[in-house]
Amino acid sequence: MAPDMNPPPINVQPLDTGSTFRSQAYHALKQAISQMDIYDHNDEIRLEERQLSDMLGVSRTPIREALTLLEQEGFIRLQPRRGIFVIRKTKAEIIEMIQVWAALESMAGRMVAEHASDEDIRTLWDLFRNFEEHDLKDHVSEYSDANIAFHKSIIRLSGSKLIQEMTDNLFIHIRAIRKLTIGQENRVERSIHDHKEIIKALERRDVDQSERLIRDHTLGLAAHVEKHCDFLE
């Protein structure tokens, strides 16, 4: 799927006054950036400080403080006299990030198989029940959301706060690439098959198999990006 020409809008909501504006602005902007489809268009994504201030309903000072934190975490870059830009990674960088995610999520899967409750593991099936009686090709967007939720659920069910924190800063790029590529090369059909096998291994409490299936599944995304995503260069 070729990228669109127009950059996506940023969707942020006004802040309440219950905690520091800087903290709220930071979390609101980080969440909004994480939900943007940053690789499906050609132009740079530029954020406007005045627009963000108006959308969040706060002065520019907490916006600037939040942007400084986001720059330190590698989400944006601040360029004097040019503006604020959401950072997009190169193809090589994305492949490396997917490989790191594969290592982290496969370890998370191992922990799920060891410690998660039977009930929590069963909830993973619920993410895909709506697709059992439908042609997946007609519901790629909905499946893409379920796919992303599945991988986030594996991380969450591991119970590891550190793995969650480490994957949070990769998520903006991993989410965008998964969403962009899920409709390519029959990846939807392969994806749902892999997910079912992963859940079965988790239910069997097969620690090694769970870890291997999750790692191989995510590394398959890295191989797909290597082969089909030259436009990222």
Side-chain angles (χ1 to χ4, degrees):
M1 182 170 63
D4 294 332
M5 295 300 295
N6 297 321
I10 187 166
N11 180 22
V12 293
Q13 302 299 317
L15 305 181
D16 64 41
T17 58
S19 61
T20 65
F21 286 147
R22 181 184 71 171
S23 175
Q24 288 192 75
Y26 163 77
H27 289 292
L29 291 173
K30 185 173 182 179
Q31 174 68 18
I33 293 170
S34 295
Q35 297 302 316
M36 297 175 79
D37 298 325
I38 63 175
Y39 294 104
D40 65 351
H41 55 89
N42 294 318
D43 296 334
E44 287 190 301
I45 304 172
R46 182 175 178 175
L47 306 179
E48 297 289 345
E49 187 179 288
R50 181 189 299 274
Q51 180 188 38
L52 295 176
S53 176
D54 291 342
M55 294 174 73
L56 290 171
V58 295
S59 70
R60 292 193 186 187
T61 298
I63 298 296
R64 289 169 183 158
E65 293 172 342
L67 291 171
T68 297
L69 292 174
L70 290 169
E71 183 181 37
Q72 291 171 356
E73 292 184 350
F75 284 89
I76 62 170
R77 68 178 185 276
L78 305 176
Q79 294 187 249
R81 295 180 296 280
R82 282 204 64 205
I84 309 156
F85 297 90
V86 176
I87 288 178
R88 290 188 292 194
K89 301 296 186 179
T90 66
K91 177 180 172 180
E93 289 172 330
I94 288 170
I95 291 171
E96 186 174 13
M97 294 175 82
I98 295 170
Q99 292 168 340
V100 172
W101 184 285
L104 293 170
E105 188 183 355
S106 61
M107 176 54 69
R110 187 177 187 91
M111 297 168 74
V112 173
E114 289 178 333
H115 305 302
S117 69
D118 292 343
E119 181 179 357
D120 282 342
I121 293 174
R122 279 196 299 271
T123 63
L124 296 173
W125 289 113
D126 296 335
L127 295 170
F128 306 108
R129 296 199 191 281
N130 291 337
F131 305 102
E132 293 178 354
E133 298 179 359
H134 297 92
D135 187 342
L136 290 174
K137 293 180 181 178
D138 296 329
H139 299 274
V140 172
S141 179
E142 295 93 332
Y143 180 77
S144 176
D145 292 339
N147 175 46
I148 293 165
F150 175 80
H151 291 284
K152 290 288 284 184
S153 294
I154 295 294
I155 299 295
R156 176 177 54 80
L157 293 177
S158 74
S160 171
K161 297 299 183 182
L162 182 57
I163 291 179
Q164 291 183 57
E165 291 172 2
M166 294 173 72
T167 53
D168 275 347
N169 286 344
L170 299 174
F171 181 66
I172 177 178
H173 303 284
I174 301 298
R175 173 196 171 277
I177 290 300
R178 285 194 184 280
K179 188 168 185 179
L180 182 64
T181 61
I182 193 63
Q184 300 172 348
E185 299 288 318
N186 297 316
R187 277 184 45 77
V188 172
E189 290 79 4
R190 293 200 302 272
S191 173
I192 198 165
H193 173 269
D194 288 354
H195 289 169
K196 289 179 178 179
E197 293 303 309
I198 290 168
I199 298 172
K200 290 175 184 177
L202 293 172
E203 289 183 324
R204 293 194 306 270
R205 304 292 177 171
D206 190 330
V207 174
D208 292 335
Q209 181 77 340
S210 298
E211 182 178 17
R212 183 185 67 79
L213 288 174
I214 293 171
R215 181 177 61 249
D216 291 351
H217 173 71
T218 301
L219 290 178
L221 174 61
H224 179 88
V225 170
E226 175 67 45
K227 185 176 181 181
H228 296 287
C229 295
D230 288 343
F231 64 86
L232 294 169
E233 300 291 5

